[in-house]
Amino acid sequence: MYVCLCHAVNECRVRELVHGGETSVKGLRLKTGLGSTCGKCVPQARQVLQSSMPAPGATVIRGQTQAA
């Protein structure tokens, strides 16, 4: 599903960036343009970002989350 229609950013891309270490909507904007045109996508982007973050104490190795 597309998160940002203005810049054609989908959920998969957001999750990929989060698994790569991105932790903020600002960082997503800098890397994809998400939220920089109309801004309607920011709430959805924030939701996908938060749901994709590893659990506290977990470590991420090459995009895969390992439980602590």
Side-chain angles (χ1 to χ4, degrees), residues 34-58:
L34 178 147
S36 63
T37 302
C38 76
K40 291 181 181 180
C41 60
V42 172
Q44 178 69 22
R46 186 172 289 119
Q47 183 180 10
V48 173
L49 175 86
Q50 290 173 347
S51 70
S52 302
M53 296 287 285

Side-chain angles (χ1 to χ4, degrees), residues 1-67:
M1 178 171 110
Y2 280 96
V3 174
C4 177
L5 292 174
C6 298
H7 294 277
V9 180
N10 61 29
E11 280 187 51
C12 291
R13 180 66 178 139
V14 173
R15 292 183 197 285
E16 179 182 280
L17 290 168
V18 171
H19 290 185
E22 190 52 62
T23 60
S24 69
V25 173
K26 181 179 179 179
L28 294 173
R29 180 178 47 85
L30 293 172
K31 291 178 180 169
T32 66
L34 178 147
S36 63
T37 302
C38 76
K40 291 181 181 180
C41 60
V42 172
Q44 178 69 22
R46 186 172 289 119
Q47 183 180 10
V48 173
L49 175 86
Q50 290 173 347
S51 70
S52 302
M53 296 287 285
T59 56
V60 177
I61 301 171
R62 293 186 185 171
Q64 296 181 346
T65 304
Q66 305 287 323

